[in-house]
Amino acid sequence: MTGPPALDPGDERDGHVIARSLEHPELFARLYDRYAPDIHRYAARRLGDHAADDVTADTFLTAFLTAFRVRARYDASRASARPWLYGIAAHLIGKQRRKEVRGLRALARTGQDPVAAGWVEDTADLVADRAPLADALAALSAADRHVLLLVAWADLTYQEVAEALGIPVGTVRSRLNRARRKVRAALGADPAFLGEVAEVVQP
């Protein structure tokens, strides 16, 4: 049994892997190996581990089917498929926004929620400390929450968020500024507490 066809070193870029995978579908597994752990971790922070399994699997299935459908127009020179994949994952997470908001509200109300296990260390004090943040995130619009968490939790640049969500960079900036302003206002002005959630509210 032979493995996937070899790629030239220059063809290891994501765009070339995708282009070649249209003739050799097994090559698409390389993108899965590269990005699935990150996509799963991001989805788990937003929806919990169980839902993250489905989101991750559906992200890569959707990516492959989309690439196949638009193969004549796919830009093989694209250096990284990461923003594209996060955009698909964000869309899938958006379909479960009610579940996400319910989880955040439950954490804010009770200090306990299974989803929080994905982004809070397993101590009662830290879970309680993050309850105001959960409440603040739940209060954001879905569009603002997507932008904020793609920057804060997926480490995407503004340009990558724009690519992921199919919106202008200026819209990314305005949504991010609005989301951070609302979160800061909800958390209050305690510098010590803001330090605990700096990855979300830092400029």
Side-chain angles (χ1 to χ4, degrees):
M1 180 179 291
T2 60
L7 291 174
D8 294 333
D11 286 348
E12 283 291 343
R13 288 175 300 176
D14 294 346
H16 284 98
V17 171
I18 292 170
R20 290 291 307 281
S21 71
L22 300 175
E23 295 180 5
H24 304 282
E26 64 274 21
L27 286 174
F28 204 82
R30 297 188 186 200
L31 291 186
Y32 185 89
D33 292 342
R34 288 176 191 173
Y35 298 116
D38 289 341
I39 295 292
H40 189 279
R41 186 160 44 249
Y42 175 73
R45 292 183 88 174
R46 295 193 62 174
L47 296 175
D49 282 331
H50 180 69
D53 293 341
D54 292 337
V55 168
T56 303
D58 288 347
T59 293
F60 285 89
L61 175 60
T62 301
F64 179 75
L65 294 176
T66 300
F68 187 81
R69 187 172 62 250
V70 301
R71 60 191 179 280
R73 293 180 282 120
Y74 190 84
D75 182 6
S77 66
R78 181 182 291 172
S80 174
R82 188 168 175 263
W84 178 52
L85 293 169
Y86 270 107
I88 295 170
H91 175 72
L92 294 169
I93 290 169
K95 291 183 175 181
Q96 300 189 51
R97 61 186 177 277
R98 289 178 181 168
K99 175 180 180 180
E100 180 180 30
V101 170
R102 277 199 307 270
L104 290 167
R105 293 292 190 200
L107 173 59
R109 186 176 62 253
T110 68
Q112 297 181 352
D113 186 73
V115 172
W119 56 280
V120 178
E121 293 181 30
D122 191 19
T123 70
D125 288 343
L126 285 177
V127 170
D129 286 346
R130 298 311 194 278
L133 175 60
D135 198 33
L137 291 176
L140 295 176
S141 70
D144 288 356
R145 190 164 55 248
H146 276 325
V147 169
L148 179 66
L149 297 183
L150 282 170
V151 171
W153 288 352
D155 293 324
L156 296 190
T157 65
Y158 292 2
Q159 182 59 49
E160 288 174 332
V161 173
E163 181 182 340
L165 300 179
I167 58 177
V169 173
T171 302
V172 171
R173 292 182 185 278
S174 63
R175 289 181 183 176
L176 185 61
N177 287 338
R178 181 170 57 240
R180 283 175 168 157
R181 188 171 61 250
K182 288 181 177 179
V183 170
R184 286 191 186 103
L187 297 181
D190 183 350
F193 182 72
L194 290 179
E196 288 293 309
V197 294
E199 68 172 353
V200 172
V201 300
Q202 66 186 355

